[in-house]
Amino acid sequence: IARISLVSSHPEVYDPCDDSFALVDALLAERNKLAEHRPLICLEIGCGSGYVLTSLALILGNEGHHALHMATDINPHALTTTGETVEAHGCFAEVLNADIAAGLEKRLSRSVDVIVVNPPYVPTPEEEVGRRGIASAWAGGESGRSVIDRILTAADELLSDRGWLYMVTLAANNPTELCMEMRKKGFGSRIVLQRFTEEESLQVIKFWRDPDIQGELSARNDRGNGLIPTFNPFSFWKRGNRNV
């Protein structure tokens, strides 16, 4: 994974911390699955220092697979730090100044195989959301969901049929509700990693398009019944596709 000593920094860019380490540890736990998945396009939304994106590139590279790596961030300083971090590790990524994935919808529509995101999840006053500089890395609005909900909508547009999304969430974000909302769109989900720090309880959730769920939704729509069955996102495996 990326070496902290080679990770670039800037006063207005979020440095790798517990949540960044949790996301990379989740990717390490999934390294064999990622190698078998052989993603063609990988995207980090909100790349910050570039620690997570670079780690993903190295994990795949060490397994003998090289994908097209892309990253976005609303903070222009993050583009510089990510570029420097990626280059310092001998990797390459296309880094774009964008709010989530604005401007990439057509170019990447249903074509991204892996999305990683450590979103601004901290509950804050709504007026703090979207501010420039380092505040954009954590200000999540009410329940910390303002940006997360927009990212999930974008992920639905960007992920390929076999695409995977790895997202860091906080207990205050109500991860069970997030999973239920994505299930309504045909996505399966499971908690890849849970971590408790002195200040917060973190979960890394993996989402994927699930044919079984999509079939259930289609059948219910055909019967005119919009009810979605309950499920437990904290179970290690859900019924259906056990390869994710």
Side-chain angles (χ1 to χ4, degrees), residues 124-168:
T124 64
E126 202 65 35
E127 58 267 22
E128 293 185 15
V129 176
R131 288 185 176 178
R132 299 292 176 177
I134 196 168
S136 65
W138 65 68
E142 186 177 353
S143 300
R145 289 276 297 273
S146 293
V147 181
I148 286 176
D149 289 342
R150 292 176 55 218
I151 290 173
L152 291 177
T153 298
D156 187 21
E157 298 175 355
L158 298 174
L159 283 172
S160 67
D161 289 342
R162 67 189 194 99
W164 296 347
L165 165 65
Y166 296 89
M167 173 181 281
V168 179

Side-chain angles (χ1 to χ4, degrees), residues 35-107:
E36 294 171 2
H37 192 52
R38 300 187 64 82
L40 297 179
I41 301 177
C42 300
L43 170 68
E44 180 174 17
I45 296 174
C47 52
S49 68
Y51 171 76
V52 174
L53 179 71
T54 303
S55 294
L56 175 60
L58 291 172
I59 289 170
L60 289 171
N62 288 338
E63 298 296 332
H65 181 67
H66 300 280
L68 169 62
H69 295 277
M70 303 179 68
T72 66
D73 205 296
I74 195 173
N75 181 355
H77 299 297
L79 308 184
T80 302
T81 55
T82 292
E84 292 172 348
T85 298
V86 168
E87 184 177 358
H89 289 84
C91 302
F92 173 80
E94 184 177 345
V95 185
L96 303 166
N97 190 197
D99 181 8
I100 301 180
L104 294 175
E105 298 90 348
K106 291 184 178 179
R107 177 184 174 188

Side-chain angles (χ1 to χ4, degrees), residues 165-186:
L165 165 65
Y166 296 89
M167 173 181 281
V168 179
T169 66
L170 189 68
N173 304 145
N174 196 342
T176 300
E177 183 178 87
L178 289 173
C179 293
M180 288 298 294
E181 290 301 315
M182 289 298 280
R183 185 178 178 86
K184 294 175 183 178
K185 299 179 181 180

